Amino acid sequence: MDEAAPPSKKAAKKAEAKARKEALKAQRADARQAPSSAVELDDPAKGFYGQAPTTPIVFSSSAEDISLRNFSNGNVEGKTIILRAWLQTSRTQSAKMAFVELREEGNWTIQGVATATSEPPSRSHPSRPMVRWIAGINPESFVVVESEVQRPIEPVKRCRVSNFELRITRCYLLAPAPAILGMTLAAANRPVVDFDDEAIGAKAGVKEEEETDKKGPPAASMLVHLDNIAMHKRAPVQQAIAEFEPPSLIGAASEGGSNVFRMPYFAQEAFLAQSPQFYKQFEIAGGRKRVFSIAPVFRAENSNTPRHMTEFTGLDLEMEIRNDYSEVLYLLEGVLLYIFRQVYRIFKDEIELVRSVYPSSEILLPEPGQEVRLTFTQAQQLLREEGPAEFRHVRDDEDMSTPQEKALGALVRQKFNTDFYVVDKFPETARPFYAKLDDTAAEGSAEGAVKVTNAFDMFLRGQEILSGGQRINHPDELEVRIRAKGIDPASPGIDGYVQVFRQVGVPPHGGGGIGLDRIVAWYLGLPSVHLAAYYPRTPRRLLP
């Protein structure tokens, strides 16, 4: 048998370069695996860095939250600030010094410096282990830093905020990114080189197209961009192009449920979106701080009641959480109260006309600072103690029925003189898999300890108009909750959702969904939500 011909010099060099590249990748992966959790126990500075605790982080009393957008609006030099951002790049100058680039929304970037000194480690003096830990954080992880704003020796031209830098004194990892990204930010911010989507399946598993030139990092096809949707959306160029519009046609049931409309879609099956929930979370993963959408929502529920429609208009919001999920609750509560207070002032004549045909009492709203917020357990206790006899034995681990909600609304109006209120801390049995559990406590009830969530509903005249709360932003925790709900994490639609949280570090976030038709109907005291819809769609009606 003839011996195989030896490879050419060109082929050998190519193979050698590829081997070096793979070895470097492996080396970087090994080097970056530990820092996300490895804090040296005997380091005096250990409380000033590491994985973020589950309890609120305590910063210096003089530190203030600030956005990089505001650096040009005032005198920030010398201030102690708190910044939440993605760690874009890191490098070590020596064992005592590390440089990082921190990025907020779009291309707002700033250089951060961590320097160990001969002083004993303290809030003002990081230790060497802290410097090493910061330098080892995976790119695209989400962090929060406390820093002093100072002038660099010379402008940092590669950063948008070039005339300032941050002297990092505390650094906590809020959400780690994987050691190797499916697509780098540099590649995501380059022109897409190929828009052919026929290779779907044939190129499965491809991470990044090896189409490169002498001008920069590898470019990527549209297929690779969409397979790495979080990095695609984090690219400053993409954020400059597109606003948020969730799709109505989707490839799998929105939340793993069965109440979806199915339809043929060329050679495959499509569904009408039950909710934009997954997509607004993708936007937060993709670098937006806040998003909202006004879009149609479809529910294949055979419910022929005055409260239900198969198509309605949804107002959905999602936002990054800085410290606590109550930020989401207060913002949504404030938005609704503002709307309710302004509507009567602006549309008094129209409202009085409606009341002449559909009589209703004047809506009662709480005074500013006296908003009514009950926990789910408190609401059920109120029903047990003061509600109708049929609710004497309602449980704290079961969701409220419509009659319960209406009875609670009557009690709240009587006791607190308001038609608008919030019920918080719903039991985990009454919330979807993406709802964040309250890690701080398990509320007790007559039936024993009940796991509760950082989730809430808002009510008007005893009927729910908004459902919201904090979402799970860590993939392992998310997968555990999905399994606990009896859903296979690998099922269509769910697998892609979980994968987005494995692609990058995703900040804590939350939001809510509002039924606009219901808000109008219950505000006006109408007998049916169908009166508030332009063309109501129900299980029995598709016309006009």
Short mmCIF file of all heavy atoms in Angstrom, two decimals, residues 63 78 133 236 299 309 318 346 351 403 444 459-460 469 490 510-511 543:
data_model
loop_
_atom_site.label_atom_id
_atom_site.label_comp_id
_atom_site.label_asym_id
_atom_site.label_seq_id
_atom_site.Cartn_x
_atom_site.Cartn_y
_atom_site.Cartn_z
N ALA A 63 -22.36 56.58 47.83
CA ALA A 63 -22.39 56.14 46.43
C ALA A 63 -23.77 56.39 45.83
O ALA A 63 -24.79 56.16 46.47
CB ALA A 63 -22.04 54.66 46.34
N GLY A 78 -14.51 62.66 40.90
CA GLY A 78 -14.36 62.54 42.33
C GLY A 78 -15.55 61.90 43.03
O GLY A 78 -15.46 61.57 44.22
N TRP A 133 -9.36 38.29 40.34
CA TRP A 133 -10.74 37.82 40.14
C TRP A 133 -11.46 38.68 39.11
O TRP A 133 -12.14 38.16 38.22
CB TRP A 133 -11.48 37.84 41.48
CG TRP A 133 -12.88 37.32 41.40
CD1 TRP A 133 -13.29 36.03 41.53
CD2 TRP A 133 -14.07 38.10 41.17
NE1 TRP A 133 -14.66 35.95 41.39
CE2 TRP A 133 -15.15 37.20 41.17
CE3 TRP A 133 -14.31 39.45 40.97
CZ2 TRP A 133 -16.47 37.63 40.98
CZ3 TRP A 133 -15.62 39.88 40.77
CH2 TRP A 133 -16.68 38.97 40.77
N PRO A 236 -24.20 47.33 19.18
CA PRO A 236 -24.66 48.72 19.09
C PRO A 236 -25.33 49.04 17.76
O PRO A 236 -26.31 49.79 17.72
CB PRO A 236 -23.38 49.53 19.28
CG PRO A 236 -22.53 48.65 20.16
CD PRO A 236 -22.82 47.25 19.69
N ARG A 299 -55.46 33.86 22.50
CA ARG A 299 -55.66 32.79 23.47
C ARG A 299 -56.74 31.84 22.95
O ARG A 299 -57.90 32.24 22.79
CB ARG A 299 -56.09 33.36 24.83
CG ARG A 299 -55.07 34.32 25.46
CD ARG A 299 -53.89 33.59 26.07
NE ARG A 299 -52.81 34.48 26.44
CZ ARG A 299 -52.73 35.13 27.59
NH1 ARG A 299 -53.69 35.00 28.50
NH2 ARG A 299 -51.69 35.92 27.85
N MET A 309 -61.74 37.10 25.73
CA MET A 309 -61.75 37.16 24.27
C MET A 309 -60.60 36.30 23.76
O MET A 309 -59.62 36.08 24.48
CB MET A 309 -61.61 38.60 23.77
CG MET A 309 -62.78 39.51 24.11
SD MET A 309 -62.70 41.14 23.31
CE MET A 309 -61.27 41.85 24.11
N GLU A 318 -41.15 45.44 30.22
CA GLU A 318 -40.08 44.68 30.88
C GLU A 318 -38.94 45.63 31.18
O GLU A 318 -38.68 46.56 30.39
CB GLU A 318 -39.60 43.52 30.00
CG GLU A 318 -38.98 42.37 30.76
CD GLU A 318 -40.00 41.48 31.46
OE1 GLU A 318 -41.21 41.61 31.19
OE2 GLU A 318 -39.58 40.64 32.28
N ILE A 346 -59.22 64.49 31.32
CA ILE A 346 -59.15 64.78 29.88
C ILE A 346 -60.44 64.37 29.16
O ILE A 346 -60.89 65.05 28.23
CB ILE A 346 -57.94 64.04 29.27
CG1 ILE A 346 -56.64 64.55 29.91
CG2 ILE A 346 -57.89 64.24 27.76
CD1 ILE A 346 -55.41 63.76 29.50
N ILE A 351 -66.76 60.12 29.47
CA ILE A 351 -67.02 59.20 30.58
C ILE A 351 -68.44 59.39 31.10
O ILE A 351 -69.16 58.41 31.36
CB ILE A 351 -65.98 59.41 31.71
CG1 ILE A 351 -64.60 58.93 31.23
CG2 ILE A 351 -66.39 58.64 32.97
CD1 ILE A 351 -63.47 59.27 32.17
N PRO A 403 -64.89 34.77 41.41
CA PRO A 403 -65.73 35.22 42.52
C PRO A 403 -64.91 35.69 43.73
O PRO A 403 -65.30 36.65 44.40
CB PRO A 403 -66.56 33.97 42.86
CG PRO A 403 -66.61 33.20 41.57
CD PRO A 403 -65.27 33.42 40.95
N GLY A 444 -46.16 31.71 56.02
CA GLY A 444 -46.91 30.64 56.64
C GLY A 444 -48.40 30.82 56.46
O GLY A 444 -48.90 31.91 56.30
N PHE A 459 -55.44 45.12 40.52
CA PHE A 459 -56.88 44.95 40.36
C PHE A 459 -57.57 46.30 40.28
O PHE A 459 -57.15 47.29 40.89
CB PHE A 459 -57.45 44.18 41.55
CG PHE A 459 -56.97 42.75 41.64
CD1 PHE A 459 -55.76 42.45 42.24
CD2 PHE A 459 -57.74 41.72 41.13
CE1 PHE A 459 -55.31 41.14 42.33
CE2 PHE A 459 -57.31 40.41 41.20
CZ PHE A 459 -56.09 40.11 41.80
N LEU A 460 -58.67 46.31 39.52
CA LEU A 460 -59.53 47.49 39.42
C LEU A 460 -60.97 47.00 39.53
O LEU A 460 -61.41 46.12 38.78
CB LEU A 460 -59.31 48.20 38.08
CG LEU A 460 -59.99 49.56 37.93
CD1 LEU A 460 -59.40 50.57 38.91
CD2 LEU A 460 -59.86 50.06 36.50
N GLY A 469 -44.20 40.70 37.69
CA GLY A 469 -43.28 40.25 38.73
C GLY A 469 -41.87 40.13 38.20
O GLY A 469 -41.55 40.52 37.07
N ALA A 490 -36.35 20.55 27.26
CA ALA A 490 -35.92 20.33 25.88
C ALA A 490 -37.07 20.39 24.89
O ALA A 490 -36.87 20.18 23.69
CB ALA A 490 -35.21 18.98 25.76
N GLY A 510 -37.73 42.24 35.39
CA GLY A 510 -39.13 41.93 35.64
C GLY A 510 -40.01 42.81 34.78
O GLY A 510 -39.53 43.70 34.07
N GLY A 511 -41.30 42.58 34.86
CA GLY A 511 -42.21 43.36 34.05
C GLY A 511 -43.64 42.96 34.31
O GLY A 511 -43.96 42.34 35.33
N LEU A 543 -66.90 37.40 13.14
CA LEU A 543 -67.42 38.50 12.32
C LEU A 543 -67.96 39.60 13.24
O LEU A 543 -68.40 39.30 14.36
CB LEU A 543 -68.51 38.00 11.40
CG LEU A 543 -68.10 36.98 10.32
CD1 LEU A 543 -69.34 36.46 9.60
CD2 LEU A 543 -67.14 37.62 9.33
#
